[in-house]
Amino acid sequence: MNFTQAFGFVMIPSSMWLATTDTYGVWGILPSLITDGGAIALVLVMIISMVKYRSPWAQRRLSQQ
């Protein structure tokens, strides 16, 4: 999992965010927002899947009846 990418906003110093918004406005933080937000979503989906299926790469099997 790329768990560390989900913490981009915490790991990057706040002075960088201020400089980016001063220079480019809100559009300057959009790439980081997309990648960090996507990483958070991926981490949550993978954790939920691991809890539900008790395996990191589980597949739902059809029961034979």
Side-chain angles (χ1 to χ4, degrees):
M1 274 192 256
N2 194 358
F3 191 67
T4 56
Q5 186 175 359
F7 293 108
F9 283 107
V10 178
M11 301 302 288
I12 297 172
S14 61
S15 59
M16 194 283 302
W17 298 116
L18 292 173
T20 302
T21 53
D22 286 346
T23 305
Y24 301 107
V26 178
W27 293 105
I29 62 170
L30 188 61
S32 187
L33 180 64
I34 291 171
T35 57
D36 295 348
I40 290 169
L42 180 62
V43 165
L44 291 176
V45 167
M46 291 183 76
I47 288 173
I48 291 169
S49 176
M50 285 177 21
V51 168
K52 185 175 180 180
Y53 296 110
R54 298 192 180 161
S55 175
W57 299 109
Q59 295 178 358
R60 180 176 281 177
R61 296 190 175 136
L62 299 174
S63 61
Q64 297 177 4
Q65 295 182 4

